[in-house]
């Protein structure tokens, strides 16, 4: 596996490497990221992962500075996962000038996480656009844990005519259901024990809706209240259509329940897709 730090070197290395399968990351890798790399393995002749903590997607006052930088460990994991090339630029390489030209995300980015993290999806769309221009992948892998991000990337590719197939990879969970995330490492022992409640709350909503519940507002409010009563500062628990993240109405098919909330100074997100049961099609 090769570790490359500059755009020029990467372009030279990848010139004849197609088909390229790309795994963009911010490092501090866990099994969720490695599942992306493993999925990429079957999709390209050359698997490229990027590791870059992108300042543009951290809203002011958030955890950019404390985000763990663990390049050596990350490279060892990626090598074991069958990655061929790691691109790990520094900030000057990615942003040699102030990034005045930015990518404006689609409307669906304004809600859910977007309404709590101003500028976040613009930062994501901008860096992913730059990475796509540099790596020129044939296929790129993104985790379904960041469900709204996956929608933003799909819209980006469609609307800016990137010839890149976007693959959404299932969330990898700890045995107690907690979705794997680099931010789980910030949790204290007590917060870590509490953290799986988010997944359980979403499971409760999913089971109720799949079982025929129709009062979505009451269901979502109860899930939020349950989390809040255990010390969570809830950003949202929401039931949306999978295709465009529009608010779900009784009778809609193909739904997803999404949640985000804070335990202390750590923000966690999760989501679960619902089965398209025939009872909800009425
Ligand atoms: O999902 C992430 O880790 C980041 O948002 C991404 C896609 C690597 C862009 O910085």
């Amino acid at each position: 596996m090769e570790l490359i730090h500059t755009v020029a070197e990467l372009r030279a290395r990848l010139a004849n490497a197609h088909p390229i399968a790309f795994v963009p990351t911010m490092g501090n890798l866990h099994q969720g990221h490695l599942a992306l790399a493993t999925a990429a393995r079957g999709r390209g002749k050359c698997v490229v992962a990027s590791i870059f903590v992108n300042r543009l997607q951290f809203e002011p006052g958030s955890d950019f500075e404390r985000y763990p930088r663990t390049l050596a460990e990350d490279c060892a994991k990626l090598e074991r996962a069958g990655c061929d090339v790691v691109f790990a630029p520094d900030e000057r390489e990615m942003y040699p000038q102030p990034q005045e030209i930015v990518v404006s995300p689609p409307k669906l980015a304004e809600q859910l996480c977007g309404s709590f993290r101003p500028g976040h999806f613009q930062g994501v769309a901008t860096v992913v656009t730059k990475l796509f221009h540099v790596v020129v992948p044939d296929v790129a892998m993104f985790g379904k844990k960041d469900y709204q991000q996956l929608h933003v990337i799909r819209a980006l590719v469609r609307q800016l005519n990137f010839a890149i197939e976007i693959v959404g990879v299932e969330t990898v969970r700890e045995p107690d259901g907690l979705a794997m995330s680099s931010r789980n490492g910030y949790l204290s022992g007590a917060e870590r024990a509490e953290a799986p409640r988010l997944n359980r709350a979403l499971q409760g909503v999913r089971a109720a809706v799949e079982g025929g519940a129709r009062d979505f507002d009451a269901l979502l409010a109860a899930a939020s209240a349950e989390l809040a009563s255990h010390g969570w500062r809830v950003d949202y628990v929401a039931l949306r259509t999978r295709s465009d993240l529009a608010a779900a109405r009784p009778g809609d098919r193909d739904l997803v329940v999404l949640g985000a909330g804070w335990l202390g100074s750590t923000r966690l997100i999760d989501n679960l897709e619902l089965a398209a049961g025939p009872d909800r099609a009425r």
Side-chain angles (χ1 to χ4, degrees):
M1 191 185 76
E2 286 162 70
L3 174 60
I4 293 179
H5 296 287
T6 68
V7 170
E9 263 183 278
L10 187 73
R11 287 199 162 126
R13 167 65 179 83
L14 298 182
N16 297 309
H18 291 269
I20 295 170
F22 180 41
V23 180
T25 83
M26 297 204 300
N28 195 232
L29 304 182
H30 49 69
Q31 288 302 326
H33 295 110
L34 301 180
L36 302 181
T38 303
R41 188 65 280 156
R43 298 249 176 186
K45 190 175 87 182
C46 180
V47 175
V48 180
S50 64
I51 297 179
F52 179 65
V53 185
N54 173 38
R55 186 187 290 274
L56 292 194
Q57 70 189 76
F58 287 78
E59 62 280 18
S62 69
D63 57 347
F64 175 73
E65 300 298 344
R66 80 162 168 162
Y67 200 90
R69 273 78 168 171
T70 52
L71 183 62
E73 295 93 318
D74 292 343
C75 285
K77 289 175 186 171
L78 288 169
E79 181 151 33
R80 285 197 295 275
C83 202
D84 299 296
V85 176
V86 174
F87 177 50
D90 66 13
E91 275 206 276
R92 267 168 315 168
E93 187 67 17
M94 278 309 278
Y95 298 121
Q97 299 173 352
Q99 189 68 32
E100 295 169 326
I101 297 178
V102 292
V103 177
S104 177
K107 217 165 173 44
L108 61 76
E110 289 167 14
Q111 52 176 336
L112 301 171
C113 285
S115 62
F116 293 92
R117 304 189 64 187
H120 169 68
F121 287 117
Q122 176 176 294
V124 171
T126 302
V127 79
V128 170
T129 299
K130 287 171 71 98
L131 289 166
F132 282 175
H133 283 311
V134 171
V135 176
V136 196
D138 298 274
V139 54
M141 328 301 289
F142 290 85
K144 284 171 82 167
K145 186 181 79 84
D146 295 297
Y147 207 83
Q148 191 176 11
Q149 170 173 283
L150 181 57
H151 273 271
V152 169
I153 302 299
R154 288 193 193 285
L156 173 84
V157 163
R158 270 195 310 270
Q159 294 186 22
L160 294 185
N161 299 88
F162 282 104
I164 302 172
E165 182 192 354
I166 301 300
V167 176
V169 177
E170 292 304 325
T171 302
V172 179
R173 297 181 181 282
E174 301 287 356
D176 61 9
L178 177 65
M180 289 202 185
S181 162
S182 300
R183 291 190 167 92
N184 293 350
Y186 299 158
L187 299 168
S188 69
E191 289 166 349
R192 173 63 188 82
E194 174 57 30
R197 194 180 306 279
L198 177 58
N199 178 246
R200 290 201 297 273
L202 302 186
Q203 283 185 37
V205 173
R206 178 171 71 177
V209 175
E210 287 177 355
R214 291 290 183 277
D215 189 345
F216 295 165
D217 288 346
L219 208 54
L220 298 170
S224 280
E226 159 75 3
L227 289 165
S229 74
H230 287 88
W232 290 74
R233 181 156 59 83
V234 179
D235 279 352
Y236 62 81
V237 180
L239 191 61
R240 298 297 167 99
T241 56
R242 285 193 220 171
S243 57
D244 59 3
L245 299 183
R249 290 160 313 167
D252 283 345
R253 299 179 70 102
D254 297 331
L255 303 182
V256 56
V257 57
L258 309 100
W262 295 79
L263 277 177
S265 60
T266 305
R267 186 174 190 272
L268 300 176
I269 62 173
D270 199 355
N271 67 79
L272 293 174
E273 290 178 335
L274 279 69
D279 61 326
R280 286 204 321 285
R282 285 197 294 265

